[in-house]
């Protein structure tokens, strides 16, 4: 699975403006609090004006009759001299303190003898400690308070201090234009209109046309939503305020909402401009659907603020709100009504021409050999989104640099594609010979079965070099065209191909390994969807049993995630799935038995070379003998006779370019995972 870089925002806008006055009342308040506390503490510890003397001196003052009163603690004496008493130097005596010598038992008799008043003294060390204890919570509170202010950034809202200041990203002079975006022509056309509004609003106002307030960009991750939003700002030459959904949702209730309000306030001052709300699903989820944990108050407040703001500004203000999401179905319907995000623009996966164009854009940035076959690269990258393609080009440049080459060659691109599909090669991971043999037969099983089936995509490469994510080997099949619709026959053939690996293990070793886990997972998914979603089983009929995506407020409380069919139907579905898979399994086995010798020679070669591709692979695969019935079907099919039962599409259910099951895999990869060990 390709994993593009997490942050798809190459030039993260720098923070150019913090809003609101810098440094509000908070700092002063803290300083005052600290001063007061320190004074209190100093007093509490009693380090005030006592004169320090020795125990012996105290006794001598008593003997000389200068003392009025003594307080005796367990560790100290506090001595109050008589009024007007003077010391040897003739200066007036101040109250004194001495560390008490505990062993001296003559003190009390001495005091009584001289008629000095004395009393016990609660330990001052102890009082100090007590005072500390009293103030400790206060100190902690203050520390916590400071901590919170730091965390929240300049945001005194929660305590009612300071002005609310949203941490915004305002960008001027964006250089990105529509020339940097390709393969999403429909979106581009729609947005060109928005650019026109921003450049020349008068033209529209004159005719009384209302400029749309919000445009929602909808599409899978990495298709260039963020990029195209920036391009709109770049083309129109306006300020670009962008904030991501996760920025709204912060710790204190009301902060997100405050940010929304502040954002719109700032934007109105800068009009004409664009406000871009990235990853809107973070706040835009259907309200009141908090689930068992209760609603998310913060998110709701933020969303409400957003709705209010979007209603609140005049469409003459020249502020256009763009938003991006890859999960439009989770958005609150209130967001999508006219006057808010009334336009939705699909930013879809690019088709082959689109991929060519995107590759060309990214090729501009690197030094490549003259004859880069962009068409071929586009063909090998079915299902890739813009971010994946950018990644491929960059990986290729890295590989070439590591080679020490002058320019990026075609082979680098080919390896980069593989890397994006299958993860990094783990050259230093050694498989033991037995494992290697199993993997070799397994992968060749996939390849031979796929080749023998009339509707399968061509096999481009077989590898048993271990890769990241636990894959020990893979068979890469690349479709010739982008597919939007798949027939029943094609799905069945696909299942057969996926079972080819396991079947080869059985045929050759009479024993199976854990390596088919991933294959089986995909087999079950395809088969199940054929029964429950595509209506491809006669016994089950033309009923959709899959999970429907309905807005939450329509859902009955008990029907939450319920399957929506009876136990009987569930049993029927299971039976049909099992039957189909068993049929496919048997077919894969028969194909392999039919091609047993080829499987042997091919696997021996694969163990030696570790990779089979190009002419070597083609030479092997051209020897594959299809089953007689498949040959006949192919003959009829070529003659234009398509058996009626074969034309069962899944119109509308299959997202463009998506294989019928699971997440969209660029190319098609039959991997042998290491399984659970
Ligand atoms: P999204 O916001 O849809 O997840 P991004 O706009 O962040 O995707 O795309 C990430 C990167 O991928 C872009 O910066 C760009 O380099 C590349 N990219 C994505 N789509 C396209 C495209 N249609 N044309 C050119 N480059 C693209
Ligand atoms: Mg994005
Ligand atoms: Zn496999």
């Amino acid at each position: 699975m390709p994993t593009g870089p997490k942050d798809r925002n190459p030039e993260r806008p720098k923070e150019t403006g913090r809003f609101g006055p810098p440094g509000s009342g908070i700092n002063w308040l803290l300083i005052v609090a600290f001063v007061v506390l320190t004074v209190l503490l100093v007093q509490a510890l009693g380090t005030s004006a006592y004169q320090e003397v020795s125990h012996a001196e105290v006794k001598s003052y008593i003997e000389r009759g200068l003392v009025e009163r003594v307080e005796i603690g367990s560790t100290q004496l506090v001595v109050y001299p008589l009024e007007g008493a003077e010391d040897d130097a003739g200066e007036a005596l101040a109250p004194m303190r001495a560390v008490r010598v505990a062993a001296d038992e003559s003190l009390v008799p001495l005091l009584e003898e001289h008629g000095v008043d004395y009393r016990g003294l609660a330990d001052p060390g102890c009082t100090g400690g007590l005072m500390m204890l009293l103030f400790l919570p206060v100190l902690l509170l203050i520390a916590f308070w400071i901590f919170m202010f730091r965390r929240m950034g300049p945001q005194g809202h929660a305590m009612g201090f300071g002005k609310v200041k949203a941490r915004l990203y305002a960008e001027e002079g964006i250089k990105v234009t529509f020339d940097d975006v390709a393969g999403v022509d429909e979106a581009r056309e729609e947005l060109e209109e928005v650019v026109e509004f921003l450049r020349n609003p008068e033209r529209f106002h004159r005719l009384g046309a209302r400029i749309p307030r919000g445009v929602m960009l909808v599409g899978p991750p990495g298709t260039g939503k963020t990029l195209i939003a920036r391009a709109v700002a770049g083309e129109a030459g306006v300020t670009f305020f962008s904030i991501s959904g996760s920025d709204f949702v912060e710790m204190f209730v009301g902060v997100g909402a405050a940010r929304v309000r502040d954002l719109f306030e700032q934007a109105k001052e800068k009009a004409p401009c664009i406000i871009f709300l990235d990853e809107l699903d973070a706040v835009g989820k259907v309200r009141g659907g908090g689930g068992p944990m209760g609603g998310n108050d913060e998110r709701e407040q933020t969303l409400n603020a957003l709705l209010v703001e979007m209603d609140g500004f005049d469409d003459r203000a020249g502020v256009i709100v763009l938003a991006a999401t890859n999960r439009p179905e989770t958005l609150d319907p209130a967001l999508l009504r006219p006057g808010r995000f009334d336009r939705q623009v699909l930013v879809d996966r690019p088709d082959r021409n689109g991929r060519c164009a995107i590759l060309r854009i990214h090729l501009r940035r690197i030094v490549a050999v003259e004859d880069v076959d962009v068409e071929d690269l586009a063909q090998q990258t079915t299902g890739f989104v813009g971010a994946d393609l950018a990644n491929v080009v960059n990986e290729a440049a890295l590989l070439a640099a590591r080679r020490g080459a002058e320019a990026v060659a075609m082979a680098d691109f080919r390896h980069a594609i593989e890397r994006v599909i299958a993860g990094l090669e783990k050259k230093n991971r050694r498989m033991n010979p037995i494992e290697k043999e199993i993997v070799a037969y397994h992968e060749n099983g996939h390849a031979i079965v796929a080749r023998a089936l009339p509707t399968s995509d061509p096999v481009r490469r077989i590898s048993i070099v271990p890769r990241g994510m636990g894959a020990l080997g893979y068979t890469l099949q690349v479709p010739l065209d982008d597919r939007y619709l798949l027939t029943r026959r094609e799905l069945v053939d696909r299942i057969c191909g996926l079972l080819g690996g396991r079947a080869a293990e059985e045929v050759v070793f009479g024993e199976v390994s854990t390596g088919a886990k991933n294959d089986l997972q995909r087999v079950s998914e395809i088969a199940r969807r054929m029964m429950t979603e595509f209506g491809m089983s006669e016994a089950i009929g033309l009923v959709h049993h899959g999970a429907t995506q309905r807005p939450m407020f329509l859902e009955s409380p008990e029907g939450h995630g319920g399957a929506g069919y009876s136990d009987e139907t569930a049993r029927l579905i299971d039976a049909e799935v099992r039957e189909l898979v068993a049929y496919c399994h048997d077919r894969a086995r028969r194909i392999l038995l039919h091609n047993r010798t080829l499987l042997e020679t091919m696997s021996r070669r694969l163990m030696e070379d570790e990779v089979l591709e190009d002419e070597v692979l083609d030479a092997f695969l051209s020897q594959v003998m299809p089953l007689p019935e498949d040959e006949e079907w192919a003959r009829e099919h070529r003659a234009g006779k398509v058996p009626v039962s074969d034309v069962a599409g899944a119109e509308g259910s299959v997202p463009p370019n998506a294989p019928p099951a699971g997440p969209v895999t660029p190319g098609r990869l039959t991997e042998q995972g290491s399984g659970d060990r």
Side-chain angles (χ1 to χ4, degrees):
M1 203 80 355
T3 34
K6 279 279 168 298
D7 189 350
R8 298 224 143 110
N9 209 347
E11 313 153 48
R12 180 90 187 141
K14 278 187 212 70
E15 193 176 350
T16 50
R18 292 204 151 194
F19 296 91
S24 40
I26 301 162
N27 289 343
W28 279 111
L29 219 115
L30 283 178
I31 290 168
V32 169
F34 263 121
V35 169
V36 169
L37 260 179
T38 321
V39 169
L40 281 175
L41 267 177
V42 165
Q43 280 193 350
L45 285 171
T47 48
S48 49
Y50 286 114
Q51 196 186 338
E52 296 290 334
V53 292
S54 74
H55 187 104
E57 276 175 287
V58 172
K59 282 176 85 172
S60 106
Y61 284 126
I62 295 168
E63 278 162 2
R64 282 192 270 157
L66 300 173
V67 176
E68 188 198 356
R69 179 162 58 91
V70 176
E71 292 172 354
I72 306 170
S74 61
T75 59
Q76 66 170 345
L77 303 169
V78 178
V79 181
Y80 298 92
L82 283 170
E83 285 247 343
E86 290 175 354
D87 65 3
D88 301 341
E91 284 181 25
L93 277 175
M96 289 167 280
R97 187 162 64 182
V99 176
R100 182 184 161 194
V101 180
D104 177 22
E105 285 169 2
S106 63
L107 180 66
V108 175
L110 185 73
L111 288 166
E112 287 183 340
E113 184 187 324
H114 290 271
V116 177
D117 184 20
Y118 65 94
R119 62 184 69 169
L121 178 65
D123 237 300
C126 183
T127 21
L130 264 178
M131 290 305 257
M132 276 296 274
L133 268 182
L134 275 176
F135 277 100
L136 200 64
V138 181
L139 272 178
L140 279 179
L141 252 173
I142 290 195
F144 177 70
W145 195 23
I146 294 169
F147 176 71
M148 285 319 292
F149 276 122
R150 288 266 157 81
R151 288 263 325 230
M152 289 161 59
Q155 178 51 271
H157 177 77
M159 297 287 185
F161 298 122
K163 190 184 178 314
V164 178
K165 284 168 289 174
R167 196 158 47 87
L168 296 182
Y169 299 105
E171 246 186 308
E172 318 239 3
I174 288 184
K175 295 278 184 305
V176 184
T177 66
F178 282 143
D179 288 340
D180 299 309
V181 191
V184 283
D185 297 333
E186 287 154 59
R188 187 178 152 164
E189 260 165 47
E190 293 258 4
L191 292 172
E192 260 162 8
E193 211 179 350
V194 173
V195 172
E196 222 20 68
F197 291 145
L198 288 167
R199 272 199 196 139
N200 202 350
E202 266 318 299
R203 212 173 82 200
F204 297 89
H205 288 317
R206 231 183 12 242
L207 298 176
R210 197 177 56 80
I211 290 175
R213 278 193 198 149
V215 178
M216 176 93 67
L217 305 171
V218 178
T223 44
K225 298 181 293 297
T226 309
L227 184 71
I228 205 168
R230 290 167 58 79
V232 171
E235 288 279 335
V238 298
T239 314
F240 184 70
F241 289 91
S242 83
I243 187 161
S244 172
S246 46
D247 286 351
F248 288 138
V249 185
E250 292 246 341
M251 196 167 165
F252 275 38
V253 171
V255 173
R259 286 202 176 157
V260 171
R261 282 192 288 274
D262 214 50
L263 173 63
F264 278 81
E265 219 168 274
Q266 299 298 327
K268 273 179 237 169
E269 283 166 23
K270 286 263 182 179
C273 68
I274 288 179
I275 296 181
F276 180 51
L277 308 169
D278 210 351
E279 327 270 343
L280 187 67
D281 30 311
V283 283
K285 292 213 188 76
V286 181
R287 283 168 296 182
M293 302 295 287
N296 184 337
D297 270 356
E298 161 60 0
R299 217 180 49 213
E300 278 186 27
Q301 290 205 13
T302 308
L303 180 57
N304 284 335
L306 184 60
L307 296 177
V308 168
E309 289 299 331
M310 288 204 68
D311 282 342
F313 69 80
D314 180 5
D315 56 336
R316 284 163 185 272
V319 179
I320 290 188
V321 185
L322 298 182
T325 178
N326 45 30
R327 300 165 63 204
E329 73 283 351
T330 65
L331 290 181
D332 197 301
L335 270 176
L336 302 176
R337 68 137 235 236
R340 288 167 185 160
F341 292 104
D342 39 10
R343 285 205 184 181
Q344 293 192 41
V345 172
L346 181 65
V347 184
D348 208 352
R349 289 169 191 282
D351 59 11
R352 196 151 140 192
N353 288 333
R355 290 196 298 276
C356 278
I358 295 173
L359 281 167
R360 288 210 178 87
I361 287 177
H362 291 285
L363 282 172
R364 291 199 302 236
R365 285 192 209 142
I366 64 164
V367 182
V369 291
E370 296 263 298
D371 57 340
V372 174
D373 188 350
V374 180
E375 298 278 333
D376 184 47
L377 292 180
Q379 204 244 303
Q380 286 185 53
T381 48
T382 307
F384 278 44
V385 293
D388 294 327
L389 294 170
N391 196 9
V392 163
V393 172
N394 189 50
E395 283 283 340
L398 289 177
L399 284 172
R402 201 170 307 157
R403 256 185 332 120
E406 294 281 295
V408 187
M410 209 47 199
D412 295 319
F413 289 109
R414 195 131 22 103
H415 284 126
I417 291 173
E418 240 177 277
R419 208 178 239 212
V420 171
I421 296 178
L424 290 180
E425 277 186 4
K426 291 236 164 65
K427 285 236 166 77
N428 50 7
R429 183 151 105 204
R430 291 246 160 269
M431 273 191 284
N432 74 41
I434 299 171
E435 279 179 332
K436 203 165 160 182
E437 199 177 345
I438 296 176
V439 178
Y441 279 100
H442 179 108
E443 297 306 333
N444 281 327
H446 284 306
I448 291 176
V449 172
R451 174 64 177 230
L453 297 168
T455 72
S456 277
D457 299 323
V459 177
R460 297 278 295 227
R461 198 162 199 271
I462 306 170
S463 157
I464 56 168
V465 180
R467 300 229 161 217
M469 300 184 289
L472 299 178
Y474 67 85
T475 306
L476 178 65
Q477 282 173 268
V478 181
L480 287 175
D481 289 310
D482 297 325
R483 298 301 307 271
Y484 299 94
L485 212 57
L486 290 159
T487 65
R488 181 174 196 279
R489 170 101 203 180
E490 282 168 327
L491 292 173
V492 172
D493 283 359
R494 200 166 276 194
I495 294 178
C496 286
L498 283 167
L499 290 171
R502 163 57 75 94
E505 290 179 38
E506 289 168 6
V507 166
V508 176
F509 303 104
E511 170 69 296
V512 293
S513 76
T514 55
K517 176 184 151 204
N518 189 272
D519 300 334
L520 297 182
Q521 210 175 327
R522 286 166 62 189
V523 164
S524 321
E525 205 182 330
I526 298 176
R528 194 158 285 278
R529 290 187 68 186
M530 285 172 70
M531 306 307 161
T532 59
E533 291 177 32
F534 308 141
M536 289 183 179
S537 152
E538 255 170 52
I540 295 168
L542 304 179
V543 184
H544 186 280
H545 291 300
T548 27
Q549 279 163 342
R550 271 175 299 171
M552 243 184 232
F553 65 90
L554 290 176
E555 212 146 44
S556 57
E558 73 277 10
H560 203 83
Y565 46 79
S566 67
D567 289 353
E568 207 178 314
T569 310
R571 265 195 293 279
L572 185 61
I573 292 172
D574 286 342
E576 288 283 297
V577 167
R578 254 200 308 277
E579 193 184 319
L580 175 67
V581 173
Y583 162 75
C584 292
H585 179 211
D586 177 62
R587 195 153 154 238
R589 280 182 65 117
R590 278 189 291 132
I591 291 171
L592 290 175
L593 288 170
H594 201 53
N595 292 282
R596 184 62 210 265
T597 5
L598 179 64
L599 180 61
E600 291 290 340
T601 46
M602 221 171 134
S603 300
R604 246 173 275 129
R605 179 70 184 262
L606 181 57
M607 275 184 272
E608 237 164 69
D609 293 1
E610 299 202 328
V611 176
L612 293 181
E613 57 185 340
D614 301 331
E615 297 82 30
V616 185
L617 181 62
D618 291 344
F620 275 122
L621 290 179
S622 62
Q623 298 170 42
V624 172
M625 294 178 293
L627 293 177
E629 70 240 40
D630 288 332
E631 241 169 342
E632 192 180 330
W633 184 91
R635 235 190 337 269
E636 280 185 24
H637 191 75
R638 270 196 299 274
K641 275 189 276 175
V642 184
V644 175
S645 70
D646 280 342
V647 197
E651 197 173 3
S653 301
V654 187
N657 292 351
V664 177
T665 319
R668 212 136 47 70
L669 202 60
T670 326
E671 266 176 6
Q672 183 175 29
S674 50
D676 308 301
R677 291 185 189 208

